[in-house]
């Protein structure tokens, strides 16, 4: 956080912290999703619906 940061100046402290929190939560969600997909592989569409 930097008072000279134009985003901080435009949002104020509460907006800046809210945006930073949303960003952190999104990054955690993406990491969790990637871990879930590694641990639970799904068949590809080609495997699930073979062409005859």
């Amino acid at each position: 956080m930097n008072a000279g940061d134009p985003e901080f100046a435009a949002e104020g402290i509460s907006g800046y912290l809210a945006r930073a929190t949303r960003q952190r939560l999104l990054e955690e969600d993406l990491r969790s999703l990637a871990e879930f997909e590694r641990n639970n592989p799904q068949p590809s569409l080609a495997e699930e619906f073979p062409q005859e």
Side-chain angles (χ1 to χ4, degrees):
M1 180 169 37
N2 179 354
D5 183 343
E7 291 179 5
F8 175 80
E11 297 174 327
I13 186 71
S14 60
Y16 186 89
L17 292 175
R19 184 174 53 81
T21 299
R22 286 191 304 273
Q23 180 67 33
R24 182 178 51 79
L25 292 173
L26 176 59
E27 290 168 0
E28 289 175 8
D29 286 347
L30 290 174
R31 277 192 297 275
S32 294
L33 178 59
E35 182 179 345
F36 177 83
E37 289 179 340
R38 277 193 305 274
N39 294 330
N40 300 285
Q42 300 294 312
S44 70
L45 289 175
E47 294 169 334
E48 201 165 347
F49 301 102
Q51 299 292 317
E52 296 182 19

